[in-house]
Amino acid sequence: MTDNAAAEAYEYSQAESFKAEGNVHFQKGNLDAAIESYKSSLEILDKLDRGGVDGNSNNNNNNGIELPDPLLRPTVLSNLGLVYLKRGNGREDADACIASCSDAIDRLDAISSSSSSSSPSSGGMSISDRKANLRAKALYRRARGRFASASAVAVGTTSATSSGSATSSVDDDSNAALNAAARDLLDVLKIDPDNKEAAALLGMVRERHEQSKREGGSDMARALADLSAQSSSSSSSSAREDG
């Protein structure tokens, strides 16, 4: 191993350590500290992605070093999105969650399912299965962020109404966030049809559409109604099997 390769291996181990540190902070409820740890991990991965510790790539594609576990970055990004959700400081944290999870999903899409991984946390799972599981988590967390964003927009609508300001654009923003959340949840249920949390959140999205008197007035609303019925049937079946 060259000196540069050794330095890159050390940097990568530091990124893993910061991720583990962030997990511990999150479990203890130290959310601000968790955010800082995850950001430190991402900063190191950004440096490696730019070409290693000296800026020179070790692979033929000149896209930075080949990481031992290509899913480390999207995992950290998805975890970061979860922390923003948990902290819940209004629309700012909701939007930060959306951005972090979107980055995770984009990076997952760019990873080949034939990639190898030497991560000890893989538990023998294939890279394809790990990608699917992580994608479902990131989609669900992004959906929660979009639902929270829609709720924050609704609060803004109430404030605007009380001040006599126009609210149509705010209503549009809220419904756009709800529709985007529904699309994410539909994708989650394609990956994991028995995901009860995703089905439950989809039901909440449907209720919000009903509250805005839009059910049946759009393709999305009809899709939500159809999927809600399917999810109820699936949940009943799962309950019987578990009992």
Side-chain angles (χ1 to χ4, degrees), residues 70-71 74 101-113 131-132 134-135 139 142 187 191:
L71 298 186
C101 291
S102 294
D103 195 359
I105 293 164
D106 288 343
R107 290 180 180 276
L108 284 169
D109 289 344
I111 297 172
S112 170
S113 294
K131 274 181 61 179
L134 184 53
R135 182 180 178 81
L139 283 165
R142 186 170 69 176
D187 285 342
I191 298 170

Side-chain angles (χ1 to χ4, degrees), residues 23 26-27 31 34-35 38 75-88 93 96-98 100-101 137-138 140-142 144-145:
N23 292 348
F26 177 76
Q27 291 164 4
L31 302 184
I35 289 172
Y38 289 140
T75 299
V76 175
L77 285 165
S78 179
N79 287 356
L80 182 58
L82 180 60
V83 181
Y84 283 125
L85 269 178
K86 183 73 172 180
R87 192 171 69 171
D93 274 359
C97 166
I98 294 167
S100 187
C101 291
K137 287 183 179 180
Y140 175 69
R141 291 167 183 175
R142 186 170 69 176
R144 287 181 59 191

Side-chain angles (χ1 to χ4, degrees), residues 52-163:
V53 294
D54 63 354
N56 295 318
S57 172
N58 285 339
N59 63 30
N60 295 328
N61 295 324
N62 200 35
N63 290 324
I65 72 167
E66 294 179 356
L67 301 179
D69 182 6
L71 298 186
L72 178 59
R73 184 198 294 272
T75 299
V76 175
L77 285 165
S78 179
N79 287 356
L80 182 58
L82 180 60
V83 181
Y84 283 125
L85 269 178
K86 183 73 172 180
R87 192 171 69 171
N89 289 344
R91 192 174 183 183
E92 181 178 355
D93 274 359
D95 289 346
C97 166
I98 294 167
S100 187
C101 291
S102 294
D103 195 359
I105 293 164
D106 288 343
R107 290 180 180 276
L108 284 169
D109 289 344
I111 297 172
S112 170
S113 294
S114 62
S115 299
S116 61
S117 170
S118 59
S119 171
S121 63
S122 63
M125 292 177 62
S126 69
I127 192 74
S128 179
D129 287 343
R130 291 181 62 211
K131 274 181 61 179
N133 289 343
L134 184 53
R135 182 180 178 81
K137 287 183 179 180
L139 283 165
Y140 175 69
R141 291 167 183 175
R142 186 170 69 176
R144 287 181 59 191
R146 285 171 162 165
F147 187 77
S149 180
S151 299
V153 169
V155 171
T157 303
T158 301
S159 300
T161 301
S162 63
S163 65

Side-chain angles (χ1 to χ4, degrees), residues 159-179:
S159 300
T161 301
S162 63
S163 65
S165 301
T167 62
S168 60
S169 63
V170 181
D171 289 338
D172 288 343
D173 287 346
S174 179
N175 281 297
L178 289 172
N179 288 343

